[in-house]
Amino acid sequence: GAVVSQHPSRVICKSGTSVKIECRSLDFQATTMFWYRQFPKQSLMLMATSNEGSKATYEQGVEKDKFLINHASLTLSTLTVTSAHPEDSSFYICSAQTGRLGETQYFGPGTRLLVL
Amino acid sequence: DAKTTQPNSMESNEEEPVHLPCNHSTISGTDYIHWYRQLPSQGPEYVIHGLTSNVNNRMASLAIAEDRKSSTLILHRATLRDAAVYYCILRYSGGSNYKLTFGKGTLLTVNP
């Protein structure tokens, strides 16, 4: 099956610093990637949709200048949390899809971010 | 996206079948029914999806009501590794918008 990886799996940073999270589709080309955020005991919330080579589309209430998304290739998307604050601490999950594999999204293992 | 309703939690015994229900009374003709599950501290995992006919794969079966207003995910023999949150999601199949909207899902507990 299709495999999606994320790096790092967990990160701890100081308040005010920026953190970059990578999402890679390992064995398929992903024309579209999605970024989700999940707080403890809650469901996944979609943050943004990114298509290769174009600007990401952010969901309502998600600050695009704070959560920078780059989808420069068909196998890599990055999410940068800029000037992170403790309230940004969360579980960040990416997913990827390709029309060639149907309408299924394949999810990464997630990145646990803790901002001190 | 059309909304789905699932029980908050269900319990099962190991090696017994599990039927996880999902109501989606406002489903449209172009909505696929997707099921994902999420184990603790992991990303969601695709389980199965269907449109109108019942579907089977190595993980589970999906039974879709004739009016499509409800569906049931069937795990034929539950194992401890099946303990997870199961999400039933309707996904619009038209255009280029394939985003998924996650509800609260059903927390499945499997007893040994």
Side-chain angles (χ1 to χ4, degrees):
Chain A
V3 179
V4 176
S5 70
Q6 281 185 241
H7 178 79
S9 59
R10 59 178 63 225
V11 56
I12 301 173
C13 69
K14 293 182 179 179
S15 187
T17 60
S18 294
V19 174
K20 180 185 284 188
I21 302 170
E22 292 186 351
C23 175
R24 293 181 185 273
S25 55
L26 298 185
D27 51 2
F28 68 100
Q29 292 186 326
T31 54
T32 305
M33 288 184 169
F34 303 85
W35 287 95
Y36 297 81
R37 180 167 54 180
Q38 185 175 33
F39 293 107
K41 306 290 185 184
Q42 294 187 23
S43 190
L44 283 78
M45 294 294 295
L46 179 66
M47 298 176 67
T49 303
S50 76
N51 291 296
E52 185 265 338
S54 61
K55 289 184 179 180
T57 301
Y58 291 80
E59 295 298 302
Q60 192 172 6
V62 178
E63 300 175 57
K64 63 179 181 181
D65 294 329
K66 181 170 182 61
F67 299 99
L68 302 179
I69 293 172
N70 183 284
H71 191 166
S73 78
L74 286 172
T75 59
L76 173 65
S77 176
T78 60
L79 168 68
T80 301
V81 183
T82 62
S83 187
H85 291 285
E87 57 265 31
D88 298 322
S89 299
S90 189
F91 192 47
Y92 291 87
I93 307 168
C94 72
S95 71
Q97 71 176 35
T98 167
R100 187 161 47 88
L101 291 176
E103 299 166 351
T104 304
Q105 281 188 29
Y106 296 94
F107 286 81
T111 296
R112 180 81 56 192
L113 170 63
L114 176 61
V115 184
L116 302 177
Chain B
D1 292 322
K3 196 173 178 180
T4 62
T5 304
Q6 299 177 252
N8 289 333
S9 62
M10 290 186 67
E11 212 169 311
S12 173
N13 296 318
E14 205 174 4
E15 298 191 6
E16 289 185 356
V18 181
H19 290 236
L20 297 165
C22 181
N23 287 319
H24 29 80
S25 58
T26 58
I27 190 172
S28 74
T30 51
D31 287 334
Y32 278 80
I33 302 160
H34 284 245
W35 283 83
Y36 288 81
R37 70 181 185 182
Q38 186 179 24
L39 280 66
S41 298
Q42 294 188 28
E45 174 187 26
Y46 166 77
V47 178
I48 200 167
H49 79 280
L51 183 62
T52 56
S53 304
N54 294 343
V55 185
N56 300 298
N57 66 21
R58 63 174 181 82
M59 289 182 69
S61 295
L62 176 60
I64 301 173
E66 200 168 327
D67 63 5
R68 301 214 320 130
K69 293 186 176 181
S70 66
S71 61
T72 303
L73 179 70
I74 303 167
L75 307 180
H76 296 285
R77 287 184 66 197
T79 68
L80 297 178
R81 293 171 59 182
D82 290 323
V85 178
Y86 285 78
Y87 297 100
C88 168
I89 301 170
L90 299 184
R91 180 177 163 183
Y92 175 61
S93 62
S96 59
N97 182 356
Y98 294 118
K99 62 182 182 180
L100 301 175
T101 301
F102 284 80
K104 294 184 179 180
T106 297
L107 175 62
L108 175 65
T109 302
V110 180
N111 301 313

